[in-house]
């Protein structure tokens, strides 16, 4: 029996929760298969890219990623080299001799993992034969017109072929293959049908049908156990894809998913309960700025303020920059343009209510909200470009006048004179400044979008803005800016990368209805930026489980599962209004607490869930050589951050309802808040590694009462 060293996984209380044996990595080969390897399509790319370093450090030269070959990606992201492993080299040579093109190299990301890339187009001549193989394996047929499904079949067939060649030349080493999503699932199906000696894991990051149903604005979570799955998939013309996904799930030795909420969904949609929940993490070191993250916030906030100055420019009209940027909060939502799934609908409604509250209470706080969601556009909005040009012109004139002023002041001081301030600026200088001021006049409201939208009249966000009347008028305390492109440092409008922009904002708002995990709030957390999420997102459920009072740590969780849509919107509004009432000192304290949660999301911790899944699949695929005991699943119960004992970041009900705060209040907060003591207490809470948990068997799950 092949055994490694015993690995004791300890709970936070110090008592062993479960005990398995450390994987004998030198006797194993690990392959991860995904369409997103070197190919940025969606969130799975982020999962694989950020996890690569931790996995590569652990597995070394025995870890390989398998993905599709695209020439541009190969040239820009992969350093070609020869495989060191004999089994991989022989498998590639065999396939290349039989009319395939298999590429090998190191992916130029942290960890530099090995990648095996298949040229899909070069092997397309085998498509009809491989369609027959799939039909024989699981009786699933693929329509000729579904180009994506056909590509996935070619990719999966090449993967199964490659894994067969590897196992034939493995020299006694055991092979683990993890397949991500239905796009890679065909390789798993064919590998099991051909009885290859490999241990298989299938990971779903979101069920195919679940995403389609939620996009159709269907009451999803209330009807999980009522859907006619075959009928729903057939009506959406994805029945063959659904069958590929479901067959992959049931063929795998171990089935995993990324969150508890998706585990419930998968059990109903795919008819199998996940064996292990493997939460998504981040390479926290990438974002780590130690104590500099507060300085980075201030620096990037100043750059966002420059953009806002240009966007809301104006003089001598009723539409102008009449709000104090030092009392302005920047909020944002970002991600795919899925209006309902991503929660943009409830967010806009909450902004309308927030605007009313701020106006009624005569608040001097202004909220500028950015929607960073890519959509079809023609080009930049002319008015938006003009605003930035006007701002730059004013900046250049101010610097020009300042230089002349400084030279005259310097000359006067050299002569031992105090200059006459009335004469230090001549008539030409005053004329130039007046012309600059007059040039800022505008006769229209600041635009709500930075680009010309192709479907302006039917765009969901713009249509909702028109309905609720948030037009960036002078009386509005909430201003809205739709930026329908991903951020880039080369943009002429807002030249910032996404990470820089996030660091400069005060709050990320992601009230999603369908979010299997949620990388956007996770990225906010590791950068020390508070965020709003929901109990229908994997991230929100994870934080509810591991943090006793998430709000105190800057994680606001909206209940979209057990509340009506109106109640959920009111709860979101109260979260936003409470955030607006915070003093600057309270926001600083909250950002410190938020940033300390980043260790929870580090792959160094969350990678253990994957380790558990790998050992479990080995014990099922090769029970005579690997044994896992005891059989009771590990849990994470008992792991909770305590509620901070110092002043809460959100003003309590006993405080005044207006957003203003006094210096006396700030001094009281300083006296009650000791950052070092609190940080040390938090570090102690995550010092011991927590054990990965499986979906509890036999535990009844509630699906909710309302559609949000």
């Amino acid at each position: 029996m092949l055994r490694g060293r015993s690995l004791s996984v300890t709970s936070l209380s110090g008592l062993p929760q479960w005990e398995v044996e450390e994987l004998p990595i030198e006797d194993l080969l690990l392959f991860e298969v995904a369409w997103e390897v070197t190919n940025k399509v969606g969130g799975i790319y982020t999962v694989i890219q950020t996890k690569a370093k931790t996995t590569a450090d652990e597995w070394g030269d025995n870890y390989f990623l398998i993905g599709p070959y695209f020439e541009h990606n190969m040239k820009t992201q992969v350093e070609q080299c020869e495989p060191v492993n004999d089994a991989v080299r022989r498998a590639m040579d065999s396939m290349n001799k039989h009319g395939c093109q298999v590429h090998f190299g190191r992916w130029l990301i942290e960890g530099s993992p090995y990648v095996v890339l298949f040229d899909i187009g070069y092997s397309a001549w085998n498509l009809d034969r491989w369609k027959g193989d799939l039909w024989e394996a699981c009786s699933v047929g693929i329509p000729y017109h579904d180009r994506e499904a056909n590509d996935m079949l070619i990719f999966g067939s090449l993967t199964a072929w490659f894994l067969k060649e590897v196992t034939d030349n493995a020299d006694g080493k055991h092979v683990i293959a993890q397949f991500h999503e239905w796009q890679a699932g065909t390789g798993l199906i064919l590998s099991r049908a051909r009885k290859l000696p490999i241990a298989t894991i299938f990971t779903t990051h979101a069920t195919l049908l679940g995403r389609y149903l939620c996009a159709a604005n269907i009451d999803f979570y209330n009807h999980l156990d009522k859907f006619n799955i075959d009928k729903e998939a057939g009506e959406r013309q994805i029945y063959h894809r659904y069958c590929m996904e479901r067959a992959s799930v049931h063929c795998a030795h171990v089935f995993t998913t990324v969150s508890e909420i998706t585990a419930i969904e998968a059990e109903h949609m795919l008819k199998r309960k996940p064996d292990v929940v493997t939460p998504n993490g981040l390479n926290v070191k990438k974002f780590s700025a130690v104590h500099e993250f507060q300085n980075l916030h201030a620096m990037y906030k100043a750059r966002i303020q420059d953009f806002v100055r240009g966007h809301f420019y104006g003089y001598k009209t009723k539409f102008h920059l009449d709000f104090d940027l030092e009392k302005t909060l920047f909020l944002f939502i970002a991600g795919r343009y899925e209006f309902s799934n991503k929660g943009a609908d409830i967010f806009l409604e909450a902004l309308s209510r927030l605007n009313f509250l701020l106006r009624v209470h005569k608040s001097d706080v202004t909220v500028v909200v950015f929607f960073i969601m890519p959509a079809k556009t023609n080009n930049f909005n002319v008015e938006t470009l003009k605003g930035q040009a006007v701002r730059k012109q004013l900046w250049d004139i101010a610097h020009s006048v300042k230089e002349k002023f400084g030279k005259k002041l310097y000359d006067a001081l050299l002569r031992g004179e105090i200059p006459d301030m009335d004469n230090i600026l001549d008539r030409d200088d005053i004329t130039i400044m007046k012309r600059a001021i007059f040039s800022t006049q505008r006769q229209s409201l600041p635009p709500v979008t930075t680009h010309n939208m192709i479907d302006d009249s039917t765009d969901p966000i713009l249509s909702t803005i028109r309905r609720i009347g948030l037009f960036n008028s002078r009386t509005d305390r909430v201003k809205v800016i739709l930026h329908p492109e991903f951020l880039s440092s080369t943009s002429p409008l807002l030249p910032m990368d996404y990470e820089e922009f996030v660091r400069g904002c005060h709050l990320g708002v992601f009230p999603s209805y369908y979010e299997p995990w949620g990388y956007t709030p996770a990225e906010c957390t590791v950068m020390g930026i508070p965020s709003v999420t929901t109990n229908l997102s994997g991230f929100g459920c994870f934080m509810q489980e591991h943090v006793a009072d998430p709000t105190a740590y800057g994680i606001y969780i909206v209940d979209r599962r057990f509340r009506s849509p109106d109640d959920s919107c009111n709860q979101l509004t109260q979260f936003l209004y409470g955030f607006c009432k915070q003093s600057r000192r309270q926001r600083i304290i909250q950002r410190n607490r938020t940033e300390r949660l980043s260790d929870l999301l580090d792959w160094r911790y969350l990678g253990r869930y994957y380790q558990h899944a790998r050992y479990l699949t080995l014990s099922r695929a090769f029970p005579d050589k690997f044994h896992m005991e005891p059989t009771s699943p590990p849990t994470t119960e008992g792991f909770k951050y305590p509620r901070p004992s110092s002043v809460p970041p959100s003003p309590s009900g006993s405080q005044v309802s207006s957003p203003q705060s006094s210096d006396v209040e700030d001094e009281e907060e300083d006296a009650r808040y000791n950052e070092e003591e609190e940080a040390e207490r938090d570090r102690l809470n995550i010092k011991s590694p927590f054990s990965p948990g499986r979906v509890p068997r036999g535990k009844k799950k509630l699906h909710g009462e309302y559609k949000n």
Side-chain angles (χ1 to χ4, degrees), residues 451-605:
H451 293 61
N452 295 321
M453 304 288 287
I454 290 179
D455 299 319
D456 184 289
S457 60
T458 59
D459 182 79
I461 291 178
L462 295 181
S463 297
T464 306
I465 288 173
R466 296 184 188 104
R467 178 177 61 79
I468 62 180
L470 281 181
F471 296 122
N472 294 340
S473 67
R474 182 179 182 182
T475 56
D476 287 331
R477 298 271 46 89
V478 174
K479 319 287 186 180
V480 178
I481 302 173
L482 170 60
H483 188 283
E485 273 188 0
F486 286 130
L487 296 170
S488 170
S489 58
T490 60
S491 170
L493 282 183
L494 189 55
M496 301 178 73
D497 290 330
Y498 179 73
E499 180 186 337
E500 297 171 344
F501 177 79
V502 171
R503 286 190 183 277
C505 287
H506 295 91
L507 181 70
V509 186
F510 315 101
S512 304
Y513 181 72
Y514 185 79
E515 190 71 79
W517 176 247
Y519 258 119
T520 42
E523 288 168 339
C524 286
T525 301
V526 301
M527 288 188 275
I529 302 300
S531 62
V532 177
T533 182
T534 74
N535 59 354
L536 289 181
S537 76
F539 173 81
C541 293
F542 182 82
M543 284 299 174
Q544 275 187 323
E545 181 183 358
H546 291 91
V547 182
D549 183 7
T551 302
Y553 286 87
I555 309 295
Y556 299 89
I557 302 175
V558 178
D559 185 358
R560 297 201 65 181
R561 191 174 177 189
F562 302 112
R563 292 194 182 198
S564 68
D566 190 59
D567 286 345
S568 296
C569 188
N570 284 334
Q571 185 185 24
L572 175 56
T573 305
Q574 289 304 315
F575 282 155
L576 299 179
Y577 185 58
F579 189 82
C580 292
K581 289 162 62 178
Q582 290 185 31
S583 66
R584 181 175 178 272
R585 177 63 179 166
Q586 285 174 317
R587 293 197 300 272
I588 291 174
I589 292 172
Q590 191 178 57
R591 283 197 295 272
N592 285 333
R593 292 173 180 166
T594 302
E595 194 271 341
R596 286 199 293 273
L597 292 180
S598 61
D599 284 340
L600 267 179
L601 302 170
D602 196 332
W603 277 121
R604 290 177 298 169
Y605 287 96

Side-chain angles (χ1 to χ4, degrees), residues 167-403:
T167 54
D168 287 346
N169 297 280
D171 294 331
K173 289 190 175 183
H174 292 80
V175 175
I176 304 173
Q178 180 168 5
F179 300 81
H180 292 268
E181 283 294 324
W182 73 273
Q183 290 97 328
T186 312
L188 190 156
I189 298 168
L190 295 172
S191 296
R192 292 305 305 278
R194 295 165 186 171
K195 298 182 180 180
L196 300 186
I198 62 175
T200 57
I201 304 171
F202 183 78
T203 300
T204 182
H205 298 257
T207 68
L208 187 65
L209 188 56
R211 193 177 291 280
Y212 271 85
L213 289 170
C214 287
N217 205 27
I218 286 177
D219 189 358
F220 183 64
Y221 292 98
N222 276 337
H223 296 87
L224 273 176
D225 54 352
K226 300 180 179 66
F227 287 117
N228 184 332
I229 304 299
D230 293 335
K231 176 176 175 291
E232 297 290 350
E235 288 180 350
R236 286 161 179 78
Q237 299 183 1
I238 57 167
Y239 186 69
H240 56 288
R241 296 188 184 192
Y242 166 73
C243 289
M244 293 164 68
E245 179 182 39
R246 184 166 168 178
S248 303
V249 168
H250 288 270
C251 284
H253 291 105
V254 170
F255 173 40
T256 74
T257 189
V258 297
S259 65
E260 293 286 349
I261 194 71
T262 312
I264 299 168
E265 171 192 342
E267 184 179 357
H268 290 88
M269 295 288 106
L270 300 172
K271 307 303 180 185
R272 179 178 176 181
K273 182 176 288 188
D275 300 291
V276 184
V277 172
T278 54
N280 290 334
L282 286 163
N283 185 0
V284 173
K285 185 179 179 181
K286 172 187 175 186
F287 297 103
S288 178
V290 194
H291 296 293
E292 283 296 307
F293 78 96
Q294 294 282 8
N295 296 333
L296 292 174
H297 167 72
M299 180 174 68
Y300 293 126
K301 181 181 72 173
R303 290 170 60 177
I304 297 175
Q305 287 175 336
D306 280 343
F307 169 81
V308 170
R309 288 187 180 97
H311 195 81
F312 293 95
Y313 80 93
Y315 170 71
K316 279 196 174 180
T317 67
K318 59 183 178 180
F319 318 118
H320 62 280
L321 183 63
D322 65 336
F323 51 89
D324 186 354
L325 283 174
E326 293 304 316
K327 296 180 180 179
T328 299
L329 301 178
F330 299 130
L331 279 58
F332 79 99
I333 181 174
R336 288 189 302 271
Y337 199 142
E338 297 177 6
F339 184 65
S340 297
N341 282 359
K342 295 299 182 184
D345 50 355
I346 190 175
F347 186 27
L348 282 165
E349 184 61 41
L351 289 177
S352 176
R353 300 179 187 187
L354 175 65
N355 188 46
F356 173 79
L357 286 175
L358 293 176
R359 290 170 64 177
V360 165
H361 290 288
K362 301 187 184 323
S363 170
D364 60 355
V365 172
T366 302
V367 178
V368 177
V369 184
F370 294 87
F371 286 75
I372 313 296
M373 307 180 87
K376 293 180 179 179
T377 63
N378 283 326
N379 212 324
F380 294 110
N381 186 306
V382 173
E383 187 64 24
T384 305
L385 287 172
K386 179 183 176 184
Q388 299 308 312
V390 167
R391 178 194 63 79
K392 188 176 184 305
Q393 181 189 34
L394 288 176
W395 177 260
D396 292 341
I397 290 173
H399 269 260
S400 175
V401 173
K402 183 183 74 172
E403 288 183 6

Side-chain angles (χ1 to χ4, degrees), residues 126 129-137 153-165 167-168 186-198 251:
N126 290 298
R129 177 165 62 87
W130 287 338
K131 280 187 177 183
D133 292 344
L134 182 65
W135 178 261
E136 290 178 5
L153 174 58
I154 299 171
F155 177 53
S157 299
L158 290 168
T159 301
W161 185 356
F162 176 78
L163 291 175
K164 181 185 184 306
E165 296 291 341
T167 54
D168 287 346
T186 312
L188 190 156
I189 298 168
L190 295 172
S191 296
R192 292 305 305 278
R194 295 165 186 171
K195 298 182 180 180
L196 300 186
I198 62 175
C251 284

